[in-house]
């Protein structure tokens, strides 16, 4: 279950493949931010649905996560604090991408930009469905808010014992990621 929540340390998997392989999503969000800024400067602030700032914050957040992830250590969990506004910007961008995927008339320009970028700038080319799926997968990791995540985060923050009270929620969290196709 993913929910939108307030500032809280995010628990991230030790294998950074889930975020490194999605560099192209960051590039698409950067492109949307630039296009939205230009549209705003030319008097059409709603051309890309959102103003440029949420797209830019979303892209910067992905970049921050990518650069702050330590070297791969499968099976290890990391804590990363992310302010709620950063996660909210990612959710806003995802909402627009989903609307574009559903062919919402207000998102025609977004769909055109994403389609052009994903089919002409990426190898292999990707579809809007791929972009949405990969963005959902990325966002699911730092947004996951379950009792297991809270227990793991609290134990790691307080440098608590890694006893059965920790191992069981940790294993549950790892299983959740595996079920979502994310290597922990």
């Amino acid at each position: 279950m993913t929910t939108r929540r307030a500032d809280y340390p995010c628990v991230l998997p030790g294998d950074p493949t889930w975020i490194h392989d999605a560099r192209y999503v960051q590039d698409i969000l950067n492109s949307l931010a630039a296009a939205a800024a230009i549209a705003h400067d030319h008097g059409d602030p709603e051309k890309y649905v959102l103003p440029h700032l949420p797209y830019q914050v979303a892209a910067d957040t992905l970049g921050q996560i990518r650069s702050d992830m330590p070297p791969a250590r499968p099976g290890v969990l990391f804590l990363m604090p992310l302010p709620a506004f950063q996660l909210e910007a990612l959710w806003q961008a995802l909402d627009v991408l989903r609307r574009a995927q559903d062919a919402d008339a207000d998102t025609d320009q977004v769909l055109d930009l994403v389609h052009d970028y994903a089919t002409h700038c990426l190898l292999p080319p990707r579809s809007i469905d791929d972009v949405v799926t990969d963005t959902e997968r990325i966002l699911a990791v730092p947004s996951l808010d379950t009792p297991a995540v809270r227990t793991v985060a609290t134990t790691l923050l307080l440098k608590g014992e890694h006893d059965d009270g920790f191992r069981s929620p940790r294993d549950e969290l790892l299983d959740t990621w595996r079920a979502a196709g994310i290597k922990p």
Side-chain angles (χ1 to χ4, degrees), residues 58-74:
D60 291 349
T61 300
L62 293 181
Q64 173 190 343
I65 294 170
R66 290 179 65 251
S67 68
D68 289 353
M69 283 294 295
R73 293 179 57 197

Side-chain angles (χ1 to χ4, degrees), residues 1-2 5 9-16 18-19 69 73-80 136-146 148-150 152-153 156 166 169-184:
M1 162 193 279
T2 58
R5 59 185 156 97
C10 299
V11 179
L12 306 177
D15 184 338
W18 66 276
I19 192 75
M69 283 294 295
R73 293 179 57 197
V76 174
L77 304 175
F78 296 102
L79 286 178
M80 182 178 292
E136 289 171 339
R137 187 176 304 116
I138 292 165
L139 193 50
V141 173
S143 296
L144 188 64
D145 187 15
T146 64
V149 170
R150 290 188 294 276
V152 167
L156 292 174
F166 171 80
R170 179 206 58 205
D171 292 345
E172 181 182 327
L173 175 57
L174 296 175
D175 289 343
T176 300
W177 283 333
R178 283 186 198 101
I182 297 165
K183 293 190 304 185

Side-chain angles (χ1 to χ4, degrees), residues 112-181:
D112 288 346
L113 186 147
V114 172
H115 174 75
D116 286 347
Y117 189 96
T119 58
H120 300 295
C121 299
L122 300 174
L123 286 175
R126 292 180 177 87
S127 68
I128 184 69
D129 295 338
D130 297 326
V131 175
V132 168
T133 298
D134 287 344
T135 305
E136 289 171 339
R137 187 176 304 116
I138 292 165
L139 193 50
V141 173
S143 296
L144 188 64
D145 187 15
T146 64
V149 170
R150 290 188 294 276
T151 299
V152 167
T154 301
T155 302
L156 292 174
L157 277 170
L158 299 176
K159 298 183 184 349
E161 301 246 352
H162 291 195
D163 56 11
D164 288 339
F166 171 80
R167 283 189 292 276
S168 180
R170 179 206 58 205
D171 292 345
E172 181 182 327
L173 175 57
L174 296 175
D175 289 343
T176 300
W177 283 333
R178 283 186 198 101

